[in-house]
Amino acid sequence: MKSRFGLSALVALAMSLPIGLHAQEVPAEFKGTGKLVVNNWGGPTVEKMHAAWYGDFPKATGIDVTFTSIPDVAKLKIMSQVGNVEWDVVDFEGAQMLQAMKGDLLEPIDYDLMYKLVPKDQLDPAQMTKYGIGSIAFGTIMAWNTETVGKTGPSSWTEFFDTSKFKGRRALYARPKPTLEIMLMADGVAPKDVYPIDIDRAFKALEKFGPKVDLWVEKTSQWDVLIQNKEVDLMGSSLARTMAQVEKGEPMAIGFNQSVMEQSYWTIPKGAPNVKDAQKLVAWMMRGEGQRASLKLLPYYSMVNKAALDGLPKETLAKLPGAPENSANSLTINAGWWLENDAKVQTRWLDWLSRR
């Protein structure tokens, strides 16, 4: 599906944002004349954030950017096999990146080039790999309707499933990831001790807590409707979608304790049409000023450049999963564990879900 968010709209939005480098200040290594195809997840949220990240990139460097979606490792593999890779930069989730790495489908990130634009000490090493660097980290958090549950909601997943303390209908995402992690935390496992997942214990906890879930959500877009229609009272919900509804005036509150984070990565396919220019764009997106501008627009994510948090108002920091106070007791999805165990878990999960 092609994004309808064209280059002219991207640049128009970018020009309204306070981003630092002017064209004449760009290092010579970042100049060019080509065109890049970026494969991301689409939608207005992503479009706005990307506008803040690199909307000024074409004007500053001379390199145009176009967009498509959705990132798909199997499709990239086919492109590679037939010698016709169409994407220059891809925003892969962690497990997707690892899968692409196993298939030898990615170019190494040119960190030497990146450090000519972004100070090395600003970047979080935990989000830097040989073949990808962090794009965003997105979160699953506890959310509740303040009109039915009250201003104070559950502070842990154990409390989330306490139906005597917090009455109402509950919803969770109908996928084993991050449901198994949530079930283990509900069963008393600290976030730092969840991995490697004890699969038997996780499914035993699922048998205990799963029946308390009234609605298993198949698509993330359903969260918007559930919140608007007030169909459930407590949710293990998407942070970005929930906060967007809160800002529209919906009576929702969230808690960051034991939130679940998942990291995505900017990658460059091997055999991409414009690898050299793709390296320039990936480096450009690591600038603190661009990431800070995106967080001001959409404060629901975590960024690789730690300097992006500098100067943000307290009310913005309060919404960010990567802010120190919000991430102190969170869990980050272990993409490597899921790559190795996903097939085995999926079979067992689908069997359990079919019996609900």
Side-chain angles (χ1 to χ4, degrees):
M1 177 178 70
K2 292 286 185 183
S3 171
R4 290 177 291 180
F5 197 75
L7 182 61
S8 59
L10 183 72
V11 174
L13 178 54
M15 290 179 69
S16 69
L17 298 167
I19 301 177
L21 287 181
H22 299 291
Q24 66 270 22
E25 300 171 340
V26 176
E29 296 94 331
F30 286 83
K31 297 289 187 176
T33 58
K35 177 180 288 188
L36 297 172
V37 177
V38 176
N39 188 353
N40 57 42
W41 295 92
T45 296
V46 172
E47 288 161 350
K48 289 180 182 178
M49 182 169 283
H50 288 185
W53 270 342
Y54 55 81
D56 58 340
F57 178 79
K59 183 178 180 181
T61 65
I63 303 167
D64 288 337
V65 183
T66 59
F67 310 91
T68 189
S69 60
I70 295 172
D72 186 325
V73 179
K75 187 173 181 179
L76 176 58
K77 184 176 181 180
I78 293 171
M79 289 179 182
S80 178
Q81 288 172 342
V82 301
N84 185 30
V85 177
E86 299 175 359
W87 308 327
D88 296 294
V89 178
V90 183
D91 185 9
F92 275 139
E93 293 180 355
Q96 289 180 308
M97 179 187 71
L98 294 177
Q99 186 180 356
M101 287 167 57
K102 288 185 70 173
D104 193 27
L105 299 175
L106 301 178
E107 293 278 352
I109 300 298
D110 187 346
Y111 284 105
D112 289 336
L113 176 68
M114 187 177 297
Y115 298 149
K116 293 180 180 179
L117 190 67
V118 182
K120 182 178 180 178
D121 60 4
Q122 289 185 2
L123 303 176
D124 181 0
Q127 299 183 42
M128 301 166 69
T129 74
K130 182 176 180 180
Y131 295 97
I133 186 166
S135 56
I136 61 170
F138 51 96
T140 297
I141 42 82
M142 281 172 272
W144 59 92
N145 186 321
T146 56
E147 292 179 343
T148 58
V149 176
K151 292 184 179 180
T152 301
S155 60
S156 68
W157 290 109
T158 303
E159 286 194 347
F160 179 88
F161 291 107
D162 187 340
T163 53
S164 61
K165 187 172 183 179
F166 297 104
K167 301 183 185 302
R169 288 172 53 82
R170 288 160 169 77
L172 283 181
Y173 191 33
R175 297 290 186 276
K177 179 185 69 175
T179 300
L180 295 193
E181 287 88 343
I182 288 172
M183 293 299 155
L184 286 173
M185 287 188 284
D187 201 40
V189 179
K192 64 181 179 62
D193 298 325
V194 164
Y195 293 104
I197 289 177
D198 182 333
I199 297 174
D200 289 336
R201 180 173 177 178
F203 275 91
K204 186 176 180 180
L206 186 60
E207 291 288 349
K208 178 181 178 181
F209 299 112
K212 297 183 179 183
V213 177
D214 300 280
L215 180 64
W216 290 98
V217 177
E218 293 288 342
K219 298 179 179 179
T220 56
S221 58
Q222 288 179 255
W223 291 122
D224 302 358
V225 178
L226 291 175
I227 294 171
Q228 290 168 4
N229 295 345
K230 301 177 176 60
E231 294 181 42
V232 292
D233 304 289
L234 301 105
M235 302 174 291
S237 183
S238 158
L239 171 62
R241 290 185 178 276
T242 305
M243 288 304 301
Q245 293 300 317
V246 169
E247 291 173 359
K248 289 182 179 179
E250 299 294 343
M252 299 296 298
I254 66 169
F256 280 101
N257 189 52
Q258 296 187 346
S259 59
V260 181
M261 300 294 298
E262 185 161 5
Q263 184 68 53
S264 291
Y265 295 84
W266 291 117
T267 65
I268 299 172
K270 181 173 287 188
N274 302 290
V275 171
K276 289 185 177 180
D277 285 344
Q279 297 282 7
K280 298 171 189 177
L281 177 60
V282 171
W284 190 270
M285 291 188 288
M286 296 303 110
R287 297 174 306 140
E289 57 266 41
Q291 297 197 355
R292 188 179 304 114
S294 70
L295 292 179
K296 289 179 179 178
L297 273 178
L298 295 161
Y300 319 132
Y301 301 100
S302 179
M303 296 289 187
V304 65
N305 193 317
K306 295 173 288 186
L309 298 178
D310 295 345
L312 290 179
K314 289 183 179 180
E315 56 269 25
T316 300
L317 289 170
K319 304 173 188 177
L320 295 177
E325 60 270 28
N326 293 337
S327 61
N329 195 38
S330 65
L331 176 147
T332 298
I333 292 290
N334 186 321
W337 189 92
W338 277 102
L339 182 67
E340 296 299 322
N341 295 277
D342 186 68
K344 175 172 57 177
V345 168
Q346 283 287 352
T347 300
R348 193 165 172 180
W349 165 260
L350 291 173
D351 175 67
W352 182 87
L353 196 63
S354 69
R355 293 184 276 108
R356 294 307 97 200

